[in-house]
Each structure stands twice: as C-alpha cells, then as structure tokens.
Amino acid sequence: MMKTLGILATAATLAFLAGGSTAPAAEIEKVFQFYCAQCHGLGGKGDGPNVTKDFPVSPRNFTNAAEMNKLTDADLKNVILDGGPAVSKSPMMPPWGKTLTAEQVDGLVKHVRVLCNCKGKEG
Amino acid sequence: MRAITHAAVAAAFLAAAAVPGQADAAAGDEVFAAKGCTDCHYTEGPAREKTIDDQLAKKGPELFYAGSKFQKDWLAAWLAEPVPIRPMKFGSLTEENPGGHPKLEGGDVAAVTDFLMGLTSADVEAGVVKPKKNPKGRQIFTKKMPCSGCHQYTARKAIAGGRSGPSLVEAGLRLNPDWILAYLRKPDVFKPVKSMPVFVGILSDKDMANVAAYIASFKPKK
C-alpha cells in the first residue's frame, strides 16, 4: 500500500514538473476559441467575426512566426492580462486579467506559441 | 365546503381581474412552457453555467432576469415580430444568425410579456442610470475599453462595430439602463461564463455608469 502511494506521489510530482500548473491543451484550446477567437479567429489568423471593414486595427495573426518571434512570452502574458496598451498596442485588445485565471493565461501563451510554431524572443 | 371553495375561486378571479398583469403573467408562464420556449431559455435563477461547455450547451439566453433587463414595450413588439439581435448564431463564431425565432400572436404576446417582465433581479438597482450621450461613456465605448470591438452600434448613420456580441443598435429601446450598469458591476450574477471581459477592477464604478448611460442613449433619431 505504502509502495503504491509512493509511486503515485512520484508520478504526480513528475506530472507537475513536466506540465507546470498549466491546464491541459484541449482545455486551453477551448478557452482560446471562446474568448480570443472573436477577434483572432478560430485558427489564430486574426480573422475573427469582429474583424469587419471598420475594425480599426488588424488583430495579431498568431500564425505569422516572423512577427510572433519579435515578442517574448512575457510580452504575450502582459498583453493578455492588461490589454494592448500594456505593450503600446491598440486598446481594441482588452485586458483579460480579471476574466481568466493565471493558469489559463499561462496556457494561452503556450497555445499561441503552438499556433506560430515559434519560440519567441528571449526575454 | 363547496361554498367556501366557490367563494375562494370567485375571490381569486376577482383579484386576478383587478390586477390584469398578474393574471397575464400566470397565463404567460403557461404559454411559455406550452410553446416550447423552455427548450432554449431558462427562467429561474440563479445562473446555472459554471464552465464554457455549460455556456455553449445553451441554445438561447437565460431569461431569469428578463424583467430587469428589457423594456416592456420593446419586449412585446419583439415577441410579436422577432428580429435577430445577435449578428452571429447564439454560441457560434462561424455561423450567421439565421433568424427565425418563433413568433407569438394575439393575447399570447401580452401574457408572455407580463410573465417575462415579472422575472426581476434584486441585483439591479432601480433609478440609477439615466440615458445620456456623454463624452466619457463614448470614449470608453469606442476607444478606451472598446465595447464597439464586439458590439454593433450606429456611428454616423451607419452600423459599425464587431459582430461576436449582441448588437447594441438602438439598445436604448431594448435595455433597461440600470440593468446595463448592473451587468457591468456584477458579471457573475447575470452571465457568469461569457466571452465579454470582466471590467470590475478595471473600469471605475463611475466609468461603468457613464458607459451604461451612453449605451442607453442609443435610440433612433426623431
């Protein structure tokens, strides 16, 4: 019994170290599609239903690796939490810091890196 | 015993006749169920959704605070002649709203209107917000925390704004100004899982009141 518990504890620790506190990828994709896709599009290309001809800016295309590589993960986190003005960008990107959990924000940063297939600027 | 029953029925009838709204509300509740409205809308609070899946499973908006949210004249007209409020289908970011919400006819309109207008929320403080075009509200709505990113409105006689949220074109005819403020102040009470950001702790109470007054001023020009 003790041995089983020990194995389970070790497995839990390894899982924690491997995944940090980030929510599962499928859950984060759902979060992305519910909140972010309104402007950034389901595939992250910046083509959500809000982007009409009078939308004053072009929402970030997350699949553009060259552009996405100019941003650090901290930049991404800041803009999600505090909105576009936090990184000198448009307020059309609203602050999500009071809406999303810290775990969801961290997960979204990782999800965006999957969409751009890029690691981003070191920082 | 029978006499007592008859007397009670007669008293109830007279009471109902004296307060037609109440009689209509009860009838409206029955119509609401009989017409299948409950297939898409729930009318008893509190809000049930806890997850994104819960929210996406809904076919239509919750109505347990309809009487605090809507204006009665608008609601009656809409139930008789429904036109889409949301550009996109409820819960979808890819499908256009096809329209076709069932219509009510005859006495059912007034009855269901009375039923829904009776569904009020104690979380809406009455008489706080007066519709008013105001520069601070406008600045927040269009620029600072741009509601216009997700909600349509009328700008220079043309419809502008995003399409993921419900349209706010002529929202001053549809929405109770006090409810708009309450919705901003207490997001968890009305719609705990929604794709609109929480602005509590971001916008001040005064900012929220200015935005609510601004949105409530969206009415057709006379």
Side-chain angles (χ1 to χ4, degrees):
Chain A
M1 181 64 184
M2 285 304 287
K3 192 175 177 184
T4 309
L5 284 175
I7 292 169
L8 284 174
T10 308
T13 307
L14 285 173
F16 179 79
L17 290 173
S21 60
T22 309
E27 194 60 35
I28 289 301
E29 183 161 10
K30 202 179 288 175
V31 171
F32 180 89
Q33 299 202 340
F34 190 68
Y35 297 103
C36 317
Q38 299 179 86
C39 297
H40 293 283
L42 292 173
K45 292 183 178 174
D47 56 356
N50 285 334
V51 189
T52 58
K53 62 179 174 16
D54 56 59
F55 202 83
V57 290
S58 298
R60 181 75 70 178
N61 176 356
F62 297 134
T63 65
N64 183 334
E67 285 299 311
M68 292 303 293
N69 264 331
K70 294 176 184 172
L71 301 169
T72 66
D73 283 359
D75 291 334
L76 297 178
K77 188 170 177 172
N78 286 340
V79 79
I80 295 170
L81 287 172
D82 297 325
V87 291
S88 305
K89 292 290 182 183
S90 168
M92 293 305 288
M93 168 68 185
W96 294 96
K98 304 291 183 186
T99 309
L100 303 172
T101 65
E103 189 182 47
Q104 288 173 328
V105 173
D106 288 343
L108 286 172
V109 171
K110 288 187 180 176
H111 184 72
V112 165
R113 289 298 177 207
V114 171
L115 289 172
C116 73
N117 194 22
C118 68
K119 290 187 174 173
K121 193 171 148 188
E122 293 287 324
Chain B
M1 183 63 190
R2 181 177 286 180
I4 293 171
T5 309
H6 281 176
V9 169
F13 181 79
L14 286 172
V19 190
Q22 286 178 10
D24 280 349
D29 191 359
E30 285 178 20
V31 172
F32 195 83
K35 296 278 184 186
C37 310
T38 47
D39 292 349
C40 300
H41 305 281
Y42 68 89
T43 53
E44 286 183 24
R48 300 174 186 173
E49 309 79 56
K50 292 188 168 42
T51 65
I52 291 173
D53 284 340
D54 293 342
Q55 176 62 22
L56 293 178
K58 288 159 63 183
K59 295 180 191 167
E62 65 290 336
L63 293 174
F64 66 88
Y65 49 89
S68 294
K69 175 178 180 179
F70 296 122
Q71 297 198 25
K72 187 173 181 179
D73 289 349
W74 175 89
L75 182 60
W78 193 87
L79 290 171
E81 203 60 58
V83 288
I85 297 166
R86 295 168 172 274
M88 308 303 291
K89 185 179 173 185
F90 189 82
S92 176
L93 291 179
T94 53
E95 290 180 65
E96 299 283 319
N97 187 340
H101 186 282
K103 289 183 184 183
L104 293 178
E105 293 177 339
D108 288 352
V109 173
V112 173
T113 300
D114 278 344
F115 166 58
L116 292 175
M117 290 308 294
L119 305 176
T120 56
S121 166
D123 283 290
V124 179
E125 199 180 336
V128 177
V129 179
K130 299 276 177 281
K132 188 182 179 189
K133 289 202 183 301
N134 67 90
K136 285 188 177 171
R138 183 175 187 278
Q139 199 235 0
I140 293 164
F141 186 92
T142 56
K143 291 194 168 70
K144 189 178 166 191
M145 291 293 157
C147 316
S148 57
C150 301
H151 298 281
Q152 292 182 327
Y153 68 115
T154 306
R156 297 190 190 94
K157 296 182 183 174
I159 291 178
R163 309 180 80 241
S164 66
S167 170
L168 294 175
V169 172
E170 298 185 0
L173 300 180
R174 175 167 59 101
L175 301 175
N176 169 11
D178 293 320
W179 175 82
I180 303 172
L181 176 59
Y183 188 74
L184 289 166
R185 273 181 179 167
K186 301 174 182 176
D188 288 346
V189 169
F190 302 101
K191 204 183 284 283
V193 186
K194 60 180 175 300
S195 46
M196 179 173 130
V198 170
F199 291 109
V200 177
I202 295 173
L203 288 176
S204 70
D205 205 52
K206 201 170 179 183
D207 281 346
M208 288 182 183
N210 283 329
V211 172
Y214 182 65
I215 293 169
S217 77
F218 293 174
K219 293 177 185 173
K221 284 193 175 167
K222 288 176 185 171

